[in-house]
């Protein structure tokens, strides 16, 4: 997911280039703007955490780009790519 701050900074292309340059294939891509309710449902697992409200506010503050990716060991490799 390319988050609202990166979309506002107009670095979508650079992020996608980094992802594909690391060997990931894009299976699907879509830009959307989450409502506050959408963000609350998506991040429900964090609802008891102190950062929940600010997270939901941030994620509903503008458009995001969601991307379905494929690669061998995709989850581990993506975490290595983006860091903690």
């Amino acid at each position: 997911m390319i988050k609202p701050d990166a979309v506002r900074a107009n670095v979508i292309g650079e992020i996608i280039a980094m992802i594909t340059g690391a060997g990931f294939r894009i299976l699907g891509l879509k830009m959307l703007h989450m409502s506050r309710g959408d963000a609350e449902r998506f991040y429900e697992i964090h609802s008891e955490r102190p950062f929940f409200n600010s997270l939901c506010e941030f994620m509903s503050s503008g458009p995001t780009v969601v991307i379905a990716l494929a690669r061998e060991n995709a989850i581990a490799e993506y975490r290595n790519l983006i860091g903690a």
Side-chain angles (χ1 to χ4, degrees), residues 2-19 26 29-31 63-67:
I2 301 175
K3 297 179 180 174
D5 56 345
V7 173
R8 278 191 290 275
N10 198 31
V11 293
I12 297 167
E14 290 93 331
I15 292 171
I16 291 171
M18 179 186 69
I19 292 167
I26 294 176
L29 182 143
K30 181 177 183 178
M31 182 179 279
T64 61
V65 176
V66 295
I67 308 171

Side-chain angles (χ1 to χ4, degrees), residues 9 11 17 39 47 71 81:
V11 293
S47 64
R71 180 182 166 171
L81 178 66

Side-chain angles (χ1 to χ4, degrees), residues 35-72:
S35 70
R36 174 65 189 233
D38 291 336
E40 288 173 353
R41 284 184 293 280
F42 187 79
Y43 291 105
E44 183 177 9
I45 191 167
H46 301 299
S47 64
E48 299 301 319
R49 298 294 196 83
F51 58 81
F52 178 72
N53 284 325
S54 60
L55 173 64
C56 292
E57 184 176 326
F58 169 65
M59 291 305 293
S60 61
S61 70
T64 61
V65 176
V66 295
I67 308 171
L69 300 170
R71 180 182 166 171
E72 186 76 28

